[in-house]
Amino acid sequence: MRFSTLLNQPADWMDHSGPHSDIVITSRIRLARNIRGAEFPGWATKDTRLALLAEVLPAVEALPEMKSGFAQGFEKLTAIQKQVLVERHLISREIAARSAGSAVVMNRRQTLSFMINEEDHLRMQSIRPGLDLAAAYEAADNADTALEETLDFAFDADLGYLTACPTNLGTAMRASAMLHLPGLVLGDQMSQTIQAVNKIGLAVRGIYGEGTESLANLFQISNQHTLGEREGDIIVRLTKVIEQIIHHEGNARAKLLEERPAMLEDQICRAYAILRHARIIASKEAMNLLSMVRLGADLGMLPQESGPLMDKLLLEIQPAHLQIGVRSKLSAEDRDLLRAQTLRESLQDLAEPKPLETPDDGEVGEEDDPEGGEAGSESGGGSL
């Protein structure tokens, strides 16, 4: 598959069809593996990395799921092409800085991808739409099992899979979900939610993972501990916590509908108007406005199909996507002009928002939350 085909092929995880897709954008499983006896990529010479790549790449390409997929060495990808893959969450920012000796392989549906010679020799990633960590893990585990037949992974009976970073020892698995949480943000409950999640050993990160800020009210929730826990236990525990956050986000939205409908309506209508008519718009502002329009679709102010459109636009307005679309490197000002034009053209047929339908008195915050706390409370909707 050519890079141009990859760009024109919508990823399956973008189809807005998974469980709880109004709040959970994607579920992701990442497994780290290393070849026994080989130096970790960060310490290895270029020749060593190239030799390792020659061993691992054919094994990955031979997987049935990779038939007619995309495979490319990083020395053959331009900086903009690498950034496009980062923006699509298919590779990490770290490996995007690599050149000869590193490669990426992914299937046509962009649901299963492999990074060779990133921090570890091999990192495999499975993505599914909505809250479906179990299905994401099954796909990653099947690929892992198949690769173990031809590759000798470094494994210790006490420490589990050996990794470049000690924090990944054990299962070497990171399970995460990307959540859209505008209700908790607008209701000033996000900080309490983050604190509660951190207290139980999970991490909350920005849109592109560790060290990045949250944009468009998108947050990644993931496990932090990989040693001493089984993969299935991690997934069950993380799923339960995410289900509780979904519950709290629903309560937060309902609370805003009941107590601050004018503010909510105003935010959504302002976002719609700016996106429809702006001539210059920066990436950060555009993403936050698209988040509000997506919320408007979830609340019935806009057609339901506009939700997936917002998810699609969140990618298409990113800097690298804009530049690769016009096959030219653009200045920041030119990107802001093109971004505004892209949004106007994409949203020109989107109907104006309808007035909110507020709930009847007594419908908000009366149900018990899963842990026995009072749903929709001022302190953040109950404990996690």
Side-chain angles (χ1 to χ4, degrees):
M1 179 169 61
R2 298 166 60 90
F3 194 89
S4 57
T5 306
L6 174 73
L7 284 178
N8 296 326
Q9 181 96 9
D12 279 14
W13 51 266
M14 293 173 58
D15 66 6
H16 213 75
S17 64
H20 302 290
S21 60
D22 57 329
I23 294 175
V24 183
I25 309 296
T26 56
S27 296
R28 182 193 317 264
I29 297 292
R30 188 211 72 197
L31 302 177
R33 299 291 185 261
N34 288 282
I35 303 303
R36 189 183 302 276
E39 292 178 295
F40 293 126
W43 286 268
T45 64
K46 178 181 176 181
D47 288 343
T48 299
R49 292 196 304 272
L50 287 170
L52 192 286
L53 177 63
E55 177 183 358
V56 174
L57 182 58
V60 174
E61 290 184 302
L63 294 172
E65 296 88 345
M66 296 300 112
K67 184 178 180 180
S68 302
F70 175 80
Q72 191 63 269
F74 275 82
E75 76 281 1
K76 295 182 179 179
L77 293 173
T78 67
I80 291 179
Q81 287 175 329
K82 293 175 185 177
Q83 187 58 32
V84 164
L85 297 178
V86 172
E87 291 173 357
R88 291 198 172 201
H89 303 276
L90 295 171
I91 65 171
S92 65
R93 293 176 300 155
E94 289 75 19
I95 201 170
R98 301 289 177 90
S99 184
S102 297
V104 58
V105 186
M106 68 189 71
N107 62 356
R108 292 186 67 87
R109 296 156 53 206
Q110 300 172 49
T111 56
L112 190 62
S113 62
F114 299 80
M115 294 179 287
I116 302 174
N117 281 334
E118 192 229 32
E119 181 179 81
D120 294 289
H121 294 141
L122 181 62
R123 287 196 169 183
M124 57 193 88
Q125 173 182 271
S126 172
I127 312 178
R128 290 293 181 273
L131 180 56
D132 204 354
L133 288 166
Y137 174 70
E138 182 180 6
D141 184 51
N142 288 341
D144 182 38
T145 301
L147 287 172
E148 283 187 315
E149 296 180 3
T150 55
L151 298 175
D152 185 15
F153 291 145
F155 183 84
D156 181 86
D158 296 321
L159 297 175
Y161 288 100
L162 304 182
T163 55
C165 180
T167 59
N168 291 323
L169 287 171
T171 62
M173 182 184 81
R174 282 282 185 269
S176 66
M178 181 82 75
L179 279 68
H180 184 228
L181 304 174
L184 290 172
V185 173
L186 291 173
D188 294 324
Q189 299 177 37
M190 198 62 221
S191 60
Q192 296 99 315
T193 301
I194 292 174
Q195 290 172 13
V197 169
N198 288 337
K199 284 180 180 178
I200 56 177
L202 301 177
V204 182
R205 297 187 169 96
I207 185 170
Y208 292 114
E210 189 172 0
T212 63
E213 65 178 320
S214 170
L215 297 171
N217 298 308
L218 293 172
F219 299 85
Q220 288 190 47
I221 314 294
S222 65
N223 66 301
Q224 292 196 87
H225 304 300
T226 60
L227 185 61
E229 292 187 83
R230 295 181 179 179
E231 291 91 341
D233 295 337
I234 293 172
I235 289 171
V236 168
R237 184 165 68 98
L238 181 59
T239 299
K240 286 181 178 179
V241 172
I242 292 171
E243 286 173 343
Q244 292 175 52
I245 295 175
I246 292 169
H247 177 79
H248 294 315
E249 171 66 17
N251 277 347
R253 294 183 185 188
K255 189 176 181 68
L256 289 168
L257 278 170
E258 182 187 44
E259 298 181 356
R260 304 177 67 191
M263 179 279 293
L264 203 54
E265 228 176 52
D266 182 68
Q267 292 263 7
I268 293 166
C269 290
R270 281 176 183 268
Y272 170 88
I274 294 171
L275 292 172
R276 281 287 310 274
H277 300 289
R279 263 45 185 176
I280 300 175
I281 191 165
S283 177
K284 183 175 180 178
E285 180 187 8
M287 292 178 70
N288 290 332
L289 294 173
L290 286 168
S291 167
M292 294 311 301
V293 174
R294 190 184 197 276
L295 177 61
D298 292 338
L299 297 178
M301 289 183 65
L302 292 155
Q304 191 173 10
E305 61 269 19
S306 57
L309 174 60
M310 298 308 109
D311 292 347
K312 178 171 175 283
L313 287 172
L314 280 170
L315 282 181
E316 292 183 352
I317 64 163
Q318 296 299 311
H321 276 77
L322 289 172
Q323 293 176 97
I324 207 161
V326 297
R327 299 182 180 180
S328 175
K329 187 173 182 178
L330 303 174
S331 67
E333 183 177 356
D334 287 338
R335 292 198 302 269
D336 292 349
L337 287 164
L338 180 57
R339 182 177 295 108
Q341 178 185 338
T342 300
L343 289 165
R344 291 197 309 273
E345 292 174 353
S346 299
L347 301 176
Q348 62 181 344
D349 296 326
L350 183 61
E352 291 191 7
K354 299 184 296 185
L356 277 171
E357 294 183 9
T358 56
D360 295 333
D361 291 341
E363 288 188 359
V364 178
E366 293 188 351
E367 57 183 314
D368 291 335
D369 86 18
E371 296 298 312
E374 185 177 330
S377 71
E378 291 289 337
S379 63
S383 64
L384 290 172

